[in-house]
Amino acid sequence: MSHEAENSAPPRTVYVVDDDPAMCHSLDWLIGSLGLEVQSFASAEEFLRALKPDRPGCLVTDVRMPGMSGLELQDTLARAGSLLSVVVVTGHADVPMAVRALRAGAVDFIEKPFNDQLLLDRVHEALEKSRRAWEAADRKRAVRALIGRLTPRERQVAALVVAGKPNKVIAAEINLSMKTVEVHRHNVMDKLEVASVSDLTRLLLEAE
């Protein structure tokens, strides 16, 4: 049985963080012209207060702003495990700054004034990257929920099965009868909805 996510991904939003009102307005209009939802913020702090965790989307952020910088915002989101993909735009670029942003996972580092189509292409790329991350996280949650059905003893048996140990060895190691190990093994496969040891192994690896 397939373990696809039951719920579709929530709406993807483009968040613009820039202390320049004219730039926010320009980006609102440009990105919104494609029918995408856009939310603008004058500071990183304001954005973080409004952000809902675990939401896919794209962040378009300036670098130099009062308070927290765009690169610091990027680091904060990464530490929090955010699913947002980041596009950095700035009028004060330098090579070390760009390298830092890209190494931290930014989709691109774009200098102002920028080409509108380039920015839109990067926003679409960021949204797609974020969507994939959301689907992977949702899949992992579903797998962990399946594993949560197992009893502690069933988890122990599952781990030994994946380690390649036959029922006889498992029975000796955890001081159970062969028949009991067989029952636990059957329950593991049934609860996790897998038909083979290879499927069980893949499922447990996905949960890590």
Side-chain angles (χ1 to χ4, degrees):
M1 177 179 177
S2 175
H3 302 288
E4 296 299 327
E6 294 182 0
N7 299 318
S8 59
R12 296 174 296 164
T13 303
V14 179
Y15 302 96
V16 175
V17 180
D18 198 308
D19 61 320
D20 180 352
M23 179 57 64
C24 281
H25 178 75
S26 175
L27 289 172
D28 279 352
W29 178 86
L30 176 63
I31 299 168
S33 67
L34 298 183
L36 295 170
E37 179 186 355
V38 186
Q39 295 181 21
S40 297
F41 302 88
S43 69
E45 292 82 359
E46 179 186 349
F47 164 70
L48 289 172
R49 286 193 295 269
L51 180 64
K52 295 180 180 179
D54 300 328
R55 300 277 291 190
C58 168
L59 168 65
V60 178
T61 182
D62 192 10
V63 174
R64 296 185 180 177
M65 300 178 289
M68 183 184 293
S69 73
L71 298 184
E72 290 170 337
L73 173 58
Q74 183 186 15
D75 291 342
T76 298
L77 292 172
R79 287 193 299 270
S82 172
L83 298 178
L84 294 178
S85 292
V86 180
V87 176
V88 178
V89 294
T90 181
H92 308 280
D94 57 55
V95 172
M97 190 183 294
V99 170
R100 175 182 168 184
L102 294 172
R103 282 183 174 172
V107 171
D108 205 349
F109 188 94
I110 303 173
E111 291 187 60
K112 300 176 183 176
F114 47 78
N115 176 276
D116 288 354
Q117 190 57 53
L118 172 63
L119 178 69
L120 292 175
D121 289 344
R122 294 300 178 267
V123 165
H124 279 297
E125 183 180 341
L127 288 171
E128 177 61 19
K129 178 182 177 182
S130 181
R131 182 191 64 79
R132 292 194 301 268
W134 187 91
E135 289 180 348
D138 194 55
R139 165 68 179 177
K140 181 172 288 189
R141 285 190 292 268
V143 168
R144 287 179 174 175
L146 277 178
I147 293 173
R149 299 177 183 177
L150 302 182
T151 66
R153 180 65 85 183
E154 288 166 351
R155 292 186 188 189
Q156 185 180 24
V157 170
L160 293 171
V161 169
V162 167
K165 298 186 178 182
N167 290 351
K168 182 177 180 179
V169 174
I170 295 173
E173 284 196 15
I174 59 180
N175 196 28
L176 293 176
S177 69
M178 278 273 290
K179 180 63 176 178
T180 302
V181 170
E182 289 171 1
V183 170
H184 284 318
R185 184 167 179 157
H186 172 79
N187 289 341
V188 167
M189 307 298 275
D190 185 57
K191 289 181 178 180
L192 299 186
E193 304 172 26
V194 293
S196 66
V197 174
S198 60
D199 289 342
L200 174 62
T201 302
R202 282 193 293 270
L203 195 70
L204 295 181
L205 287 174
E206 282 189 60
E208 294 179 358

